[in-house]
Amino acid sequence: MSTRQKITIKDVAREADCSIATASRVLNRSGPASGEARDRVEKAARDLGFSFSAIGRALQSSRSMTIGCLVPSLANPVFAEAVQGVQEALKGSGYQLLIASSNYDAGADNDAIATLLAKEVDGLIVTMAAPDSSAVLKRARQRGTPVSLMFHDPIDGLPTAHVDNFDAAREVARRFAELGHRRTAFLALRFATSDRSRNRYAGFHAECRARGLPDPALIELSEAEANTPELLSGILATLQGLSAVFASNDFLAIAVQKAARLMGKRVPRDLSVVGFDGIEIGRLLDVPLATIETAPEAMGRQAARTLLDLMQGGPCIQQPPLPFDFRAGGTLAPPRAESRDDDQGATWPPSVHSLKTDLKQG
């Protein structure tokens, strides 16, 4: 056969001595075929140098053969690793990934999803500010575009690949309590728009109460405060007796360590710090970060497999949460003797700039 001639599925079927329908099922992975037939078809395709035309296949199936993936940021290795997991799960499926990021902004979330829908993506994998209240995401589901979430806690009708944020945060409170910490704080960015952050605080708060500890101080930081150690140190300095901080992600936990140095405090001798996510850079710090370690790549793979099942007409099934581990590091230790107290004296937590004290405690 001339190398100038385009190889078609008919040529593969003839070479494999099978029907065109059998060759199509094997190459599309769309139906049953015997092991012998599958081997013959795959060998024939390799020998002939056959590859599907993505455009032709899309026209025949009325599909774009693309999947839209929206994450808050690709600069955060947690989301980058999740996208890598998505790509791994899509290998061999024929689908291409279109990636967008929104910088944690709800308006940008909706704009990105609208753009992906305009490109006629066949499905969506998203991590966003408020999936349960997004009008654009609702419109996508109404038009029949399957949606799979990553990182979010379960939402009715929207399957998600996630860890149990509430339970993971309880583990942090348990570690603090067992070491003797009492005055603690939870640091968060975008607390009002992040279900992950809110559920982590809820679990942390619940376990502190269950162990008879004072309620943790809830500090919602602005971007400027989180990225400026001088500002962050000023906020932390208002919390007299503070001995342990739980940050809602590892980047915040690293920022706390910088702020502590500006306050003249050493981690963990004067202040213990625990993060969340388990990014690799946390292991490489001079004082390795104690953190909740998750598996972002596994999260991406699970989200992609769920979406592929939905696109093939499968039921909407919520998978159990993925496992997490507490990664012991050098930033967690018992509090200094002078920081222990009997909870007498000033009310805890005090009212300070950026400290949210008006939330209902239940």
Side-chain angles (χ1 to χ4, degrees):
M1 184 174 294
S2 171
T3 56
R4 293 178 179 271
Q5 184 177 347
K6 182 178 179 180
I7 306 299
T8 70
I9 197 168
K10 292 181 181 179
D11 300 320
V12 174
R14 182 167 53 250
E15 181 75 11
D17 192 22
C18 68
S19 68
I20 294 175
T22 296
S24 178
R25 286 197 300 273
V26 171
L27 295 173
N28 273 305
R29 302 184 180 184
S30 59
S34 69
E36 181 184 357
R38 188 174 299 278
D39 290 342
R40 292 203 313 271
V41 170
E42 290 177 348
K43 182 177 186 303
R46 288 195 302 271
D47 291 347
L48 294 174
F50 172 82
S51 63
F52 271 116
S53 164
I55 296 175
R57 180 162 54 181
L59 290 173
Q60 291 175 3
S61 64
S62 299
R63 294 183 176 184
S64 68
M65 300 308 295
T66 58
I67 289 173
C69 183
L70 170 65
V71 292
S73 169
L74 289 172
N76 187 329
V78 171
F79 298 120
E81 289 175 24
V83 170
Q84 183 65 35
V86 171
Q87 291 178 320
E88 289 176 5
L90 294 180
K91 283 182 181 177
S93 69
Y95 285 97
Q96 297 296 316
L97 200 61
L98 302 181
I99 304 172
S101 62
S102 62
N103 197 30
Y104 303 90
D105 180 83
D109 279 338
N110 290 326
D111 290 343
I113 291 174
T115 299
L116 291 170
L117 292 176
K119 295 182 179 297
E120 301 291 338
V121 294
D122 297 322
L124 289 166
I125 298 173
V126 300
T127 304
M128 56 189 301
D132 52 343
S133 61
S134 168
V136 177
L137 196 63
K138 181 180 180 180
R139 187 158 64 247
R141 298 170 65 195
Q142 288 174 338
R143 65 184 267 180
T145 303
V147 177
S148 179
L149 303 180
M150 296 188 297
F151 296 97
H152 293 285
D153 288 280
I155 300 171
D156 287 343
L158 284 170
T160 182
H162 71 298
V163 298
D164 189 328
N165 289 292
F166 187 94
D167 196 43
R170 288 183 62 191
E171 175 66 15
V172 176
R174 184 180 71 80
R175 300 275 179 157
F176 283 167
E178 289 179 348
L179 288 173
H181 292 282
R182 297 191 61 78
R183 297 289 176 88
T184 65
F186 180 84
L187 266 64
L189 286 174
R190 309 170 201 90
F191 188 79
T193 58
S194 172
D195 58 351
R196 285 94 67 202
S197 186
R198 292 194 302 272
N199 287 330
R200 288 167 195 172
Y201 174 72
F204 187 55
H205 176 273
E207 188 64 19
C208 284
R209 282 204 168 180
R211 292 178 175 270
L213 305 182
D215 289 349
L218 172 58
I219 304 174
E220 182 178 6
L221 301 173
S222 68
E223 295 281 355
E225 289 163 338
N227 294 324
T228 309
E230 293 81 4
L231 293 176
L232 179 54
S233 65
I235 294 170
L236 294 175
T238 65
L239 300 175
Q240 297 300 316
L242 177 68
S243 67
V245 173
F246 176 26
S248 61
N249 64 52
D250 285 345
F251 282 125
L252 272 181
I254 294 170
V256 170
Q257 294 184 70
K258 294 180 180 178
R261 287 196 292 271
L262 292 177
M263 297 165 62
K265 293 181 177 292
R266 293 176 58 183
V267 175
R269 188 191 69 172
D270 304 309
L271 184 68
S272 284
V273 182
V274 172
F276 198 108
D277 287 328
I279 61 176
E280 187 61 27
I281 194 173
R283 297 179 184 271
L284 305 178
L285 299 173
D286 290 340
V287 182
L289 181 64
T291 186
I292 293 291
E293 190 170 49
T294 63
E297 283 197 39
M299 205 171 293
R301 288 193 297 270
Q302 186 184 96
R305 288 194 296 265
T306 295
L307 185 66
L308 289 173
D309 288 343
L310 290 173
M311 291 193 302
Q312 293 170 5
C316 180
I317 298 175
Q318 176 56 57
Q319 299 295 326
L322 291 162
F324 63 84
D325 291 309
F326 185 88
R327 189 171 82 196
T331 59
L332 177 61
R336 296 178 66 184
E338 56 266 35
S339 68
R340 300 172 185 262
D341 59 43
D342 58 4
D343 295 328
Q344 301 299 313
T347 301
W348 180 267
S351 178
V352 297
H353 174 63
S354 294
L355 182 64
K356 305 301 183 182
T357 57
D358 56 350
L359 298 183
K360 292 181 180 179
Q361 305 293 337

